[in-house]
Amino acid sequence: MKILVVGIGYVGLANAILLSRQYDVLLADIDENKVKCVNNNKSPINDELIEKFFRENPDKLKAVLADTSQVYKDFDYIIIAVSTNYNDTIDFFDTKNIEDILKKIKNINSNAIVIIKSTIPIGYTKRIKKEFKFDNIVFSPEFLREGSALYDCLNPSRMIIGDKGNLGKQVAELFYKSIQKKNLKTFFMDSDEAESVKLFSNTYLAMRISFFNEIDTYAKNYNLNVLDIINGVCADPRIGDYYNNPSFGYGDYCLPKDTKQLLANFKNIPNSLIKAIVESNEVRKKFISNSILSRNVKNIGIFRLIMKNNSDNFRNSVILDIINYLKKYNNDLNFIIHEPLLKDDKFQGIKIENNLNSFIEKSDLIVANRISRELIKVKSKIFSSDLFLTDL
């Protein structure tokens, strides 16, 4: 059994490692640096278990550049795990990367079974199978957390297979042999429903984040103890004491684009909640920005650009929107950023100061979406909504 995984991101890398426990797996990507990392037994992403895998299993995985059709030849299964960014111009996911890969597969290896792990619009798989005259395509979404992708891959919450026939059973069997979790709930359904599960799941999570953020907004307006309110609300077992830590808004790679895509899929369908989930995030970011402006300080320190403590990227991080909003409404502010992931002197024209003591000293106000314990000593300087010092 030979498997090709296209896309060396969280989803692709975690799935490649998972399947390499039972099968021969090759990774492919257009990013030369990611390919080199894998071939040098280094993880290109920040994930403790993935890093451990490379340390303990040298040369178990190899990667190649996905630059020609020949890359896709002679594989039994090809997993597509490339990014699908949301295009605000067309109000839809940009799925061009997937189509480019499918064209090459159809040209050189039409017998391969293709498993799409990339997030896609509802109705996409059915449309693309018809357009390409290619039936060996199954959509099977992932529900991975950044920083814990391999753990979640080994111990999935559930398996969603977008095919009710023999093809779906083959795909399920492929993963069953590698996962650690026993008695896994598996749902076989048509592709439209599988695509819906992915988008509705992430939109629900965005809704929950927005709900607790609005509790925080209310409490701040009326000078109430938000911790007491949230603890009291979450003591109800129907609500639960999880995913309840207020933030500046939901961000990162998945939730903003997935909520927008679901709203786009709701075009001409009556709805108010989905629209409100998207709008509430913008309302929250503006509220946070205005609250910072009301402090009337000159020197604003931005503590970390990442969304989560264990993350290694800040793509679509909510703090970037906060910075842009503050710049727009007050050109006289001075910013300084503390972000150890950045090795340059500046980011978007803003000075970087990675000596923490110097950063604290130079900042009149420290804006932190998530607080590190090392900041507790200067609590009076901190502007944050983080109550529990956790990512969620």
Side-chain angles (χ1 to χ4, degrees):
M1 184 78 71
K2 292 180 66 179
I3 301 170
L4 178 69
V5 178
V6 189
I8 308 179
Y10 281 92
V11 174
L13 196 51
N15 274 275
I17 293 173
L18 170 77
L19 294 171
S20 71
R21 302 176 77 205
Q22 297 289 335
Y23 311 105
D24 292 328
V25 180
L26 181 70
L27 280 155
D29 201 289
I30 60 172
D31 188 326
E32 189 174 348
N33 289 328
K34 289 183 177 180
V35 170
K36 285 182 178 178
C37 276
V38 171
N39 290 332
N40 289 327
N41 296 306
K42 293 181 180 179
S43 174
I45 62 175
N46 185 15
D47 184 297
E48 186 176 342
L49 281 184
I50 292 178
E51 291 165 3
K52 181 181 178 183
F53 169 85
F54 279 107
R55 288 196 304 270
E56 296 180 354
N57 301 275
D59 300 323
K60 177 74 170 177
L61 276 180
K62 289 297 180 182
V64 296
L65 278 173
D67 52 356
T68 68
S69 295
Q70 292 297 318
V71 171
Y72 305 94
K73 188 178 180 181
D74 298 329
F75 287 96
D76 302 292
Y77 289 88
I78 298 175
I79 297 174
I80 299 177
V82 296
S83 60
T84 49
N85 296 319
Y86 190 80
N87 188 323
D88 288 301
T89 302
I90 62 174
D91 280 335
F92 238 61
F93 280 149
D94 183 353
T95 55
K96 184 177 180 297
N97 289 339
I98 297 177
E99 277 116 68
D100 288 344
I101 293 168
L102 286 173
K103 287 175 186 175
K104 293 173 183 174
I105 296 171
K106 180 74 185 296
N107 179 52
I108 201 164
N109 191 6
S110 60
N111 291 323
I113 295 175
V114 176
I115 305 168
I116 297 178
K117 290 288 184 181
S118 305
T119 307
I120 52 180
I122 299 170
Y124 179 80
T125 305
K126 189 178 291 183
R127 176 178 67 80
I128 213 69
K129 287 168 77 170
K130 185 177 180 181
E131 182 179 318
F132 279 77
K133 296 181 175 59
F134 193 3
D135 290 330
N136 293 345
I137 303 175
V138 176
F139 174 67
S140 179
E142 287 293 349
F143 306 93
L144 307 180
R145 295 167 297 169
E146 187 175 316
S148 304
L150 182 53
Y151 177 87
D152 291 341
C153 214
L154 291 166
N155 304 276
S157 58
R158 72 278 204 197
M159 189 184 297
I160 305 294
I161 304 292
D163 185 278
K164 290 183 176 181
N166 289 328
L167 194 61
K169 291 177 182 177
Q170 288 182 61
V171 171
E173 187 65 23
L174 185 76
F175 289 97
Y176 279 146
K177 291 181 179 179
S178 298
I179 61 173
Q180 292 178 339
K181 189 173 183 178
K182 306 303 178 186
N183 302 317
L184 178 67
K185 287 186 177 180
T186 303
F187 301 89
F188 295 93
M189 58 188 73
D190 289 335
S191 58
D192 288 4
E193 284 77 3
E195 292 154 358
S196 298
V197 168
K198 174 65 173 180
L199 293 183
F200 275 102
S201 294
N202 276 353
T203 301
Y204 177 84
L205 295 176
M207 177 185 69
R208 188 171 172 102
I209 292 169
S210 297
F211 179 82
F212 287 102
N213 282 345
E214 293 204 356
I215 290 180
D216 182 68
T217 296
Y218 184 87
K220 279 182 167 61
N221 270 282
Y222 285 96
N223 197 27
L224 304 177
N225 188 316
V226 65
L227 181 60
D228 286 348
I229 298 172
I230 289 179
N231 283 338
V233 168
C234 292
D236 187 328
R238 295 170 299 177
I239 297 171
D241 187 17
Y242 60 91
Y243 225 75
N244 58 356
N245 192 14
S247 65
F248 293 163
Y250 62 79
D252 221 342
Y253 180 60
C254 291
L255 298 190
K257 70 183 183 71
D258 290 5
T259 54
K260 289 179 180 179
Q261 177 60 67
L262 184 59
L263 182 59
N265 275 112
F266 260 91
K267 187 177 181 180
N268 300 323
I269 299 174
N271 81 93
S272 58
L273 183 57
I274 306 302
K275 186 186 301 181
I277 293 168
V278 175
E279 292 176 351
S280 68
N281 206 40
E282 296 306 310
V283 171
R284 173 65 171 177
K285 288 185 285 189
K286 288 181 180 178
F287 169 78
I288 291 295
S289 300
N290 287 329
S291 298
I292 295 170
L293 290 171
S294 70
R295 298 296 183 94
N296 292 318
V297 295
K298 180 74 173 177
N299 302 305
I300 296 179
I302 304 297
F303 181 76
R304 306 303 304 269
L305 299 178
I306 55 174
M307 280 293 298
K308 301 176 181 179
N309 288 324
N310 292 324
S311 174
D312 63 351
N313 76 78
F314 34 86
R315 179 173 48 178
N316 298 320
S317 179
V318 68
I319 195 66
L320 299 178
D321 293 331
I322 301 296
I323 292 171
N324 289 335
Y325 189 92
L326 293 173
K327 283 182 175 180
K328 180 179 178 181
Y329 286 92
N330 191 336
N331 291 325
D332 295 328
L333 294 175
N334 294 324
F335 292 94
I336 187 170
I337 293 173
H338 178 76
E339 179 49 77
L341 291 176
L342 292 171
K343 305 305 178 186
D344 297 327
D345 294 331
K346 290 186 177 181
F347 176 80
Q348 295 183 356
I350 301 174
K351 181 176 172 53
I352 298 168
E353 177 54 78
N354 282 334
N355 180 295
L356 183 60
N357 290 330
S358 180
F359 168 78
I360 291 171
E361 185 180 337
K362 293 175 182 178
S363 303
D364 298 327
L365 185 71
I366 298 172
V367 175
N369 185 49
R370 287 290 176 251
I371 301 173
S372 170
R373 295 189 183 279
E374 56 197 346
L375 286 183
I376 300 300
K377 59 185 179 182
V378 288
K379 190 175 180 180
S380 61
K381 274 192 172 186
I382 298 173
F383 179 93
S384 181
S385 295
D386 187 354
L387 297 176
F388 304 116
L389 301 186
T390 62
D391 289 327
L392 301 175

